[in-house]
């Protein structure tokens, strides 16, 4: 993970054999996405950095939270990349982008100093210098993708997501729009799988990453929380939790799962375990562009859910009753399986002469 300030040139027409990952967590954030990604297993950060993935270019990771070099050494590859002296790199942005045009006499967020002015280098300055030169720009977590909590109504910083800052028409040096991997924090394997795709694409080993209209990888965000939820059968049967100690469907106590694009109920959180509603947490829509404002107040029944859960309350109990009758029937062995001198299985001999 040490800084590797060597310039790397493409080795083939389509691919590269070394890539730098320049990862700034200096947006408005809690660094939670970096922390989350340390739990990834499919693949792990270590697998990527130590070259355990077949076909992957050699990866040099530069991330403040995971770095152990001095501040100057850590910043050197960022400055080199900004000067066009560092080979292909992927630019990972963590945290939302504050509006530095309204920062008064100070600044909202910075990473190191500008060598020319000696003043703090703000996140937008880094983005302006690095994003157009990056093979790909990846926004990690909901703060970087859509603004998140820092961008909610009434915020004083004018925070926004990376696409809000760069524009929907932005294209990186590799021809990609910003690749968004939302989540608060990001689901670790969702991010690593996306990074792996981009790295394989840079190496000429993968087609263009498929993204939806909100620039999310389609295979990760194409389904709703509800579609993968362990509690979905309770919903279907109109069996709803009244408090947070219940194993039943939580829609009446604030779950937004039916209308939220997120795969954690299928994928789990760490090593396949977890995934908010599966383990007792209501879905508050943290992967969504409208988060948090459109999902507040949390823990109230979502407005649209009142009608649908009301309908399920009529249909569901009837289905549940029918199923309990069938369940009682199939939960018993057939009557002929018993010890007695007569054969009662209904066997009909085919050849009566024997
Ligand atoms: S807990 Fe949420 S996601 Fe799960 S079934 Fe109920 S409404 Fe759907
Ligand atoms: S289930 Fe809901 S709250 Fe949990 S990670 Fe997914 S979008 Fe966020």
């Amino acid at each position: 993970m040490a800084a590797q300030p060597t310039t790397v040139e493409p080795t083939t027409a389509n691919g590269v054999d070394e890539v730098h990952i320049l990862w700034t967590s200096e947006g408005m954030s809690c660094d939670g996405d970096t922390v989350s990604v340390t739990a990834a297993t499919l693949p792990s950060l270590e697998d990527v950095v130590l070259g355990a993935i077949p076909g992957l270019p050699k990866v040099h990771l530069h991330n403040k939270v995971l770095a152990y070099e001095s501040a100057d050494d850590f910043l050197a590859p960022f400055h080199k990349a900004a000067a066009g002296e560092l080979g292909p790199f992927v630019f990972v942005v963590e945290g939302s982008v504050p509006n530095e045009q309204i920062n008064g006499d100070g600044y909202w967020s910075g990473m190191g100093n500008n060598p020319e002015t000696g003043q703090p280098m703000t996140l937008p300055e880094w983005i302006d210098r690095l994003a157009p030169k990056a093979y790909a720009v990846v926004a990690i977590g909901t703060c970087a993708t859509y603004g998140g909590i820092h961008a909610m109504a009434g915020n004083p910083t004018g925070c926004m997501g990376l696409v809000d800052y760069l524009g929907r028409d932005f294209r990186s040096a590799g021809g990609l729009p910003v690749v968004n991997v939302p989540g608060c924090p990001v689901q670790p394997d969702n991010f690593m799988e996306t990074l792996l795709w981009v790295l394989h694409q840079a190496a000429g080993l993968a087609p263009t990453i498929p993204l939806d209209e909100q620039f999310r990888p389609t295979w990760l965000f194409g389904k709703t929380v509800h579609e993968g939820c362990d509690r979905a059968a309770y919903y279907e049967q109109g069996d709803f939790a009244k408090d947070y100690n219940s194993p039943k469907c939580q829609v009446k106590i604030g779950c937004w799962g039916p209308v939220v694009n997120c795969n954690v109920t299928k994928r789990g959180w760490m090593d396949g375990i977890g995934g908010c509603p599966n383990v007792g947490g209501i879905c508050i829509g943290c992967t969504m562009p409208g988060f948090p404002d459109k999902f507040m107040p949390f823990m109230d029944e979502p407005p649209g859910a009142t009608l649908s859960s009301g309908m399920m309350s009529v249909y569901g109990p009837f289905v549940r009753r029918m199923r309990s009758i069938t369940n009682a029937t199939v939960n018993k062995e057939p009557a002929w399986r018993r010890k007695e001198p007569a054969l009662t299985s209904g066997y009909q001999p085919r050849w009566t002469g024997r």
Side-chain angles (χ1 to χ4, degrees):
M1 296 182 205
Q4 299 287 333
T6 351
T7 300
V8 180
E9 298 298 336
T11 52
T12 69
N14 296 321
V16 296
D17 62 7
E18 293 196 32
V19 177
H20 292 255
I21 298 174
L22 299 179
W23 182 330
T24 175
S25 55
E26 300 305 342
M28 309 297 262
S29 85
C30 61
D31 291 349
D33 300 301
T34 290
V35 174
S36 181
V37 167
T38 60
T41 55
L42 294 170
S44 69
L45 261 181
E46 292 87 341
D47 286 342
V48 170
V49 171
L50 298 175
I53 313 287
L56 208 63
K58 184 167 177 49
V59 170
H60 305 284
L61 176 67
H62 311 277
N63 173 306
K64 172 195 73 180
V65 182
L66 305 175
Y68 50 82
E69 62 267 45
S70 71
D72 285 345
D73 286 348
F74 171 74
L75 285 169
F78 287 83
H79 286 299
K80 277 186 174 275
E85 296 167 2
L86 193 78
F89 67 92
V90 174
F91 185 34
V92 178
V93 176
E94 178 174 353
S96 56
V97 186
N99 185 353
E100 296 290 352
Q101 295 178 53
I102 56 163
N103 63 11
D105 294 331
Y107 62 97
W108 296 121
S109 75
M111 183 170 84
N113 286 341
N114 184 331
E116 286 129 40
T117 64
Q119 294 298 308
M121 187 101 111
T122 63
L123 178 66
E125 283 182 272
W126 280 115
I127 294 170
D128 292 345
R129 290 169 190 228
L130 294 177
K133 295 188 176 72
Y135 175 79
V137 178
V138 183
I140 179 173
T142 300
C143 296
T145 52
Y146 308 122
I149 286 170
H150 314 275
M152 64 189 294
N155 81 80
T157 58
C159 263
M160 64 197 95
L162 200 50
V163 174
D164 302 319
Y165 181 79
L166 287 170
R168 289 184 68 86
D169 295 333
F170 166 82
R171 293 295 178 269
S172 65
L176 291 170
V178 172
V179 178
N180 280 334
V181 196
C184 188
V186 74
Q187 200 284 349
D189 292 321
N190 279 353
F191 175 74
M192 290 306 293
E193 229 174 69
T194 305
L195 185 65
L196 205 61
W197 188 306
V198 168
L199 292 171
H200 275 129
Q201 190 179 328
L205 297 173
T208 302
I209 187 167
L211 303 174
D212 67 16
E213 279 201 348
Q214 300 297 337
F215 302 120
R216 297 172 290 210
T218 52
W219 78 96
L220 297 174
F221 293 94
K223 297 277 189 282
T224 63
V225 174
H226 189 69
E227 285 166 330
C229 182
D230 284 357
R231 300 173 187 238
Y234 287 106
Y235 181 96
E236 187 201 24
Q237 295 180 171
D239 206 357
F240 302 116
K242 295 187 176 58
D243 61 54
Y244 297 96
N245 295 316
S246 168
K248 298 178 179 176
C249 170
Q250 304 181 115
V251 74
K252 287 194 163 297
I253 52 174
C255 184
W256 282 81
V259 292
V260 167
N261 296 80
C262 174
N263 65 350
V264 305
T265 39
K266 277 282 188 203
R267 164 157 250 175
W269 198 267
M270 202 191 285
D271 229 359
I273 298 168
C276 309
N278 289 353
V279 287
I282 55 171
C283 171
I284 56 172
C286 80
T287 57
M288 301 298 275
F291 178 81
D293 304 70
K294 292 186 179 177
F295 298 91
M296 293 168 72
F298 298 141
M299 303 168 92
D300 278 5
E301 183 175 7
T306 310
L307 177 63
S308 60
S309 64
M311 289 163 64
M312 297 312 292
S313 296
V314 175
Y315 152 90
F318 174 71
V319 170
R320 194 162 77 241
R321 178 70 190 130
M322 293 296 105
R323 284 178 181 164
S324 79
I325 293 169
T326 310
N327 175 256
T329 307
V330 296
N331 215 8
K332 287 184 192 141
E333 282 193 64
W336 60 86
R337 293 182 194 164
R338 57 180 187 264
K339 185 180 174 188
E340 58 180 326
L343 179 63
T344 56
S345 70
Y347 173 68
Q348 300 284 341
R350 205 176 288 179
W351 296 284
T352 50
R354 285 190 173 181

